[in-house]
Amino acid sequence: MVTQNFKPGDIGYVKRNLGHFVQNTGDTDLVFLEVFRSNRFEDVSPSDWLAHTPYALVGQHLNIDPAVVARFPANKPEIMPE
């Protein structure tokens, strides 16, 4: 895993097909523009994916109680509040 810190006006690049996420670590609102060189956008939310996998399987794989997995958001939230 690689972590990058950006300042206002910086540009970042993520290679095609690599998973990534953005976290605002500052104390002001984050304005983020994502540009794709593609004719379509596809998004795979880990919480959405795991919430639609059998809870016992995910719990066993992650070594957590399946009841915790059952509380994962299953509606693919685009913005997760802290």
Side-chain angles (χ1 to χ4, degrees):
M1 175 162 49
V2 175
T3 300
Q4 297 288 324
N5 293 314
F6 294 96
K7 300 180 298 297
D10 284 353
I11 296 174
Y13 175 79
V14 178
K15 290 183 180 179
R16 184 188 314 234
N17 298 329
L18 290 182
H20 62 281
F21 75 96
V22 176
Q23 179 179 3
N24 184 3
T25 59
D27 56 6
T28 60
D29 288 343
L30 170 69
V31 177
F32 176 77
L33 174 65
E34 205 166 26
V35 178
F36 300 94
R37 193 174 78 182
S38 175
N39 62 350
R40 69 179 192 279
F41 171 77
E42 293 184 26
D43 179 44
V44 178
S45 165
S47 64
D48 185 47
W49 173 53
L50 293 173
H52 290 91
T53 302
Y55 301 155
L57 178 67
V58 176
Q60 183 180 20
H61 182 74
L62 298 178
N63 196 29
I64 59 175
D65 189 318
V68 173
V69 181
R71 295 193 310 262
F72 286 2
N75 60 351
K76 195 176 161 191
E78 297 297 330
I79 297 176
M80 296 290 293
E82 291 191 49

